[in-house]
Each structure stands twice: as structure tokens, then as C-alpha cells.
Amino acid sequence: MKRLYSWNVNGLRACMNKGFRDFLEREDPDVLCLQETKMQPEQADFEFPGYHLYWNSAVKKGYSGTLVLTKEKPLSVINDLGLDRHNTEGRTITLEYLEHYLVNVYVPNAQNELARLGYRMQWEDDFRGYLGRLKEKKPVIVTGDFNVAKEEIDLKNPQNNRRNAGFSDEERGKMRELLASGFVDSFRYLYPDQENAYSWWSYRFKARERNAGWRIDYFLVSAGYEGQIEDSRILADQTGSDHCPVELILKS
């Protein structure tokens, strides 16, 4: 079996002091996709023996950024979407393996009062087109922080969040469009009715203690690739960030 993990660490250097290395040693992932690293590669004063590291950092220091740790060296690596308007925030890394592409993504946040919703909508369309072109070549696995809870079951208080970033009709619509273009939400594929399954909690109001969270971190697989899914898990007990890791286990 192949074990793939994704985790928005909300600052990798901070997370390193909150149990990250223990997590890495215990889970021993084949691939680990990180989002919101908030650092440049040259700032790393740590190593991860046994892993190849692929960085895509934002131009702006201390902001956004993605990183992939992989035991198996990929055939190729692509940063960003090939469009100038999206190439400064370090939001995607694509690794090509023999069997599939793996895309690590940190989707832009629409921000308070949906101030960045227009950009987010453009990004969603461009990202969906990019994935569609990859999917024509071989199966695609997409993972990361999608910054949207797709359905009411995916957050604790849907009624109070209808016009908030991450649960606006527009963002949810784009997520549905992405799935309709030929992707399957691996967790809901296996657990369609499971409630109280969340991957992000606000630091405010003791949200994590009360499990008042949102499921905004996903593993999507190309339609037709579902047969490779052994399990899809949310590691809600893992602390160190306001997100917890999610895992996709593929059959051998």
C-alpha cells in the first residue's frame, strides 16, 4: 500500500516545534504534501532523511507556500499553473509518477467579506482547466487545503456561515464544478454520511475542543481511479496547526 498525506501546517517552522517530526516518524508517509509553509527553502535549518523535497514558496516572505516530501523521486515536477497571474504565491506543485500525477494545492482564501472572491473564481477556473489537461494524460490525485466546505455536512454551523469565506455559494459551486469535471472526493466516496468529520478549527472560542470545525482539506482522485482507494482518513487527533493532516491509502 502507498500512504499519501496532506497537512496545512500554518507555518512549517512553528509546526516543527509542535510535534511535526514525531508525526513524520510515526506515520512514515510515502508522500507528504504541505501547505502554508510560510518560508523559503534557504530558511530551513532542518533535514528529512530519506525524502526528496520539492518547494514552491511565495515571493512574499512568510506567506502561503507549498512543499512535497516524497520517498520516490518523481519523473517530473511542475510549479504553478503556467499562468503569470498565478505564479507568485507558491500555491501548487505537480509531481508526475509512473501511475499518476499528484498535485499539491493551497487554494486562495476568499478572505473577510469575500474581498478576494473575484480572484478566487478566476483561479478556480484556471486550476480546473489545468487539472483537466493533466487528466488527459494519466490519472490525477489532487490534495491540499481547498478552503471550502462543499456541503452542509462538512462544517459545524452551516446556517451561520452562508456568506462567509469558505462556505459561500460561489466557492461551493466551483468545488462542485471541479468534481463534475471528473474527480471524486475520496473521503465522501467511502464515508458519504459521516458527520462531525473536520480538518480545520478556528483558534477562537475553543472551537477544536468543541469540534466546531470545517472539512476543507481533501484528497480527490480522477473518476475511474476510485478502485485504487484503500482508505481515506482524517487525523483529527494530530495537533501542531489549526488544520489536521488527511491521508489517502492506495492499494498496492
Side-chain angles (χ1 to χ4, degrees):
M1 291 186 293
K2 189 172 184 181
R3 305 173 76 94
L4 313 177
Y5 292 74
S6 174
W7 194 5
N8 179 322
V9 290
N10 193 15
L12 179 54
R13 286 172 294 176
C15 194
M16 289 291 293
N17 298 319
K18 299 177 183 177
F20 180 86
R21 198 174 289 280
D22 290 341
F23 161 80
L24 191 65
E25 291 175 1
R26 183 186 71 248
E27 299 295 331
D28 191 30
D30 293 299
V31 183
L32 173 58
C33 296
L34 303 178
Q35 304 87 43
E36 213 171 351
T37 52
K38 297 183 178 180
M39 63 178 294
Q40 309 294 320
E42 58 270 18
Q43 294 176 291
D45 57 358
F46 42 77
E47 295 180 350
F48 302 116
Y51 287 97
H52 303 280
L53 271 60
Y54 298 96
W55 298 81
N56 189 8
S57 298
V59 173
K60 181 180 175 181
K61 298 291 176 65
Y63 177 73
S64 188
T66 46
L67 168 64
V68 180
L69 285 66
T70 173
K71 290 181 178 177
E72 178 187 350
K73 190 171 184 178
L75 302 177
S76 66
V77 180
I78 303 168
N79 283 357
D80 303 318
L81 306 180
L83 297 165
D84 288 347
R85 59 180 171 267
H86 301 311
N87 69 357
T88 63
E89 296 186 358
R91 292 194 176 273
T92 66
I93 306 174
T94 302
L95 279 65
E96 180 186 2
Y97 296 99
L98 198 58
E99 320 84 44
H100 56 75
Y101 288 103
L102 175 64
V103 181
N104 178 20
V105 64
Y106 178 38
V107 174
N109 191 305
Q111 298 183 350
N112 290 339
E113 299 182 356
L114 303 179
R116 213 182 185 200
L117 184 64
Y119 176 74
R120 166 77 176 258
M121 295 296 97
Q122 178 68 67
W123 197 95
E124 293 273 9
D125 290 342
D126 291 336
F127 185 55
R128 189 174 64 254
Y130 173 78
L131 296 178
R133 292 188 292 276
L134 290 180
K135 198 150 53 70
E136 291 174 359
K137 302 173 187 176
K138 63 176 72 176
V140 178
I141 298 171
V142 194
T143 189
D145 176 1
F146 284 74
N147 262 316
V148 64
K150 184 170 67 73
E151 305 297 343
E152 292 193 355
I153 194 175
D154 294 318
L155 73 166
K156 190 69 170 183
N157 297 303
Q159 284 72 31
N160 297 336
N161 283 290
R162 278 298 299 275
R163 287 303 296 163
N164 287 343
F167 198 62
S168 67
D169 292 345
E170 294 88 342
E171 291 165 294
R172 296 169 68 197
K174 289 299 183 186
M175 187 62 169
R176 293 188 184 119
E177 277 188 63
L178 177 57
L179 293 170
S181 75
F183 285 94
V184 174
D185 175 352
S186 64
F187 183 78
R188 286 291 173 223
Y189 174 73
L190 296 177
Y191 309 106
D193 303 314
Q194 185 167 330
E195 299 179 350
N196 302 311
Y198 307 127
S199 64
W200 174 80
W201 303 263
S202 170
Y203 281 131
R204 302 163 66 195
F205 312 122
K206 297 185 177 179
R208 193 157 189 171
E209 291 176 34
R210 297 184 295 110
N211 197 29
W214 301 47
R215 188 177 74 95
I216 60 176
D217 301 87
Y218 299 77
F219 266 102
L220 310 183
V221 302
S222 293
Y225 208 60
E226 306 96 316
Q228 295 300 115
I229 299 173
E230 179 71 30
D231 202 359
S232 184
R233 302 169 59 225
I234 299 174
L235 283 67
D237 292 336
Q238 177 64 52
T239 58
S241 169
D242 51 350
H243 294 249
C244 74
V246 295
E247 179 188 11
L248 178 66
I249 305 175
L250 297 176
K251 296 176 181 176
S252 300

